[in-house]
Amino acid sequence: MSRVAIVTGGSRGIGEAISLALKAEGVKVAANYAGNDERAKAFTERTGIPAYKWDVSDYDACQKGCARVAEELGPVDIVVNNAGITRDGTILKMTYEMWKEVIDTNLGGCFNMAKAVFPSMRERKFGRIVNIGSINGQAGQYGQVNYAAAKSGIHGFTKALAQEGARFGVTVNAIAPGYIDTDMVAAVPAEVLEKIVAKIPVGRLGQASEIARGVAFLCGDDAGFITGSTLSLNGGQHMY
Ligand code: CAA
């Protein structure tokens, strides 16, 4: 019996690599996306993985979206909370909207998705929830009070929900990626990024597939003893 997974933000960047890695493990994957219809369509054509549009910051949309996936693919066994956005700026320039959008999407999305799938996982005594945190949630980052707070919140959320899921076979773990070669990181000003890369001991950005490999590991049926943990995949930039 193949497992069913939802990967939020699953049609681009790290999410795309995660969708592909889970598919390669024989999982039936639904790739959620919020905005870019064209990219999602191209992704489905290329990979054969269906894409489902909803905004993870919208509680009701998560309830409906997850119910639709369960109806079409089967009960959801795995959720990867990967959807995330940046609205960088020093606190002097950061507006309330920049703060709220990032908190609602990156952290609120984890709550909304867990609310939608946790009851059924608990009932069926199996679940794998993997939340994508960040090195910047562990170490902080200049110009990212919104993003660092949301990602740091994800690490706390993970440890709390792991305690609630443990006796029902539902594991909850986090991955804290460092700087990965994606559109999000490409948006960092070149001179700033250059200084960041200079501080990565392995001397390069990470690849999305290197994060996906960790996710697939944590989602395995044989990973039931790993819960409440954080896997830091950052090329040695922050040893935490
Ligand atoms: N520490 C201390 N001071 C710093 C600093 C730092 N890390 N970075 C900048 N400053 C200083 C500058 O030297 C400058 O000082 P002066 O005014 O005295 O010259 C001052 O702060 C203003 O800096 P900027 O000119 O850079 O300010 P800005 O408003 O134009 O830009 C910023 C600020 C938007 C935060 C920009 O620096 C930036 O984009 N930084 C990168 C943020 C980043 O790493 N984002 C990660 C995105 S990817 C991601 O988040 C994925 C993941 O999980 C890892």
Side-chain angles (χ1 to χ4, degrees), residues 89-204:
T90 57
I91 198 158
L92 290 179
K93 293 181 192 165
M94 190 177 290
T95 61
Y96 177 70
E97 285 68 35
M98 290 161 80
W99 164 261
K100 191 163 158 45
E101 269 185 85
V102 170
I103 297 291
D104 288 354
T105 302
N106 298 13
L107 182 57
C110 291
F111 176 77
N112 296 340
M113 288 299 294
K115 279 291 281 183
V117 298
F118 193 79
S120 146
M121 289 179 172
R122 186 179 186 272
E123 205 169 283
R124 288 178 298 112
K125 302 253 181 305
F126 182 89
R128 297 279 180 265
I129 297 177
V130 178
N131 302 315
I132 305 300
S134 168
I135 186 174
N136 293 347
Q138 296 170 314
Q141 170 65 334
Y142 191 99
Q144 281 201 312
V145 294
N146 49 4
Y147 187 88
K151 292 296 188 178
S152 182
I154 285 177
H155 293 299
F157 176 91
T158 298
K159 291 175 198 171
L161 190 59
Q163 293 179 35
E164 296 183 23
R167 68 199 159 102
F168 302 106
V170 180
T171 68
V172 188
N173 292 288
I175 289 194
Y179 282 73
I180 308 302
D181 191 6
T182 58
D183 291 349
M184 184 185 274
V185 167
V188 174
E191 67 286 1
V192 177
L193 190 57
E194 206 174 292
K195 285 189 197 143
I196 292 171
V197 175
K199 289 190 187 139
I200 303 175
V202 304
R204 62 171 175 86

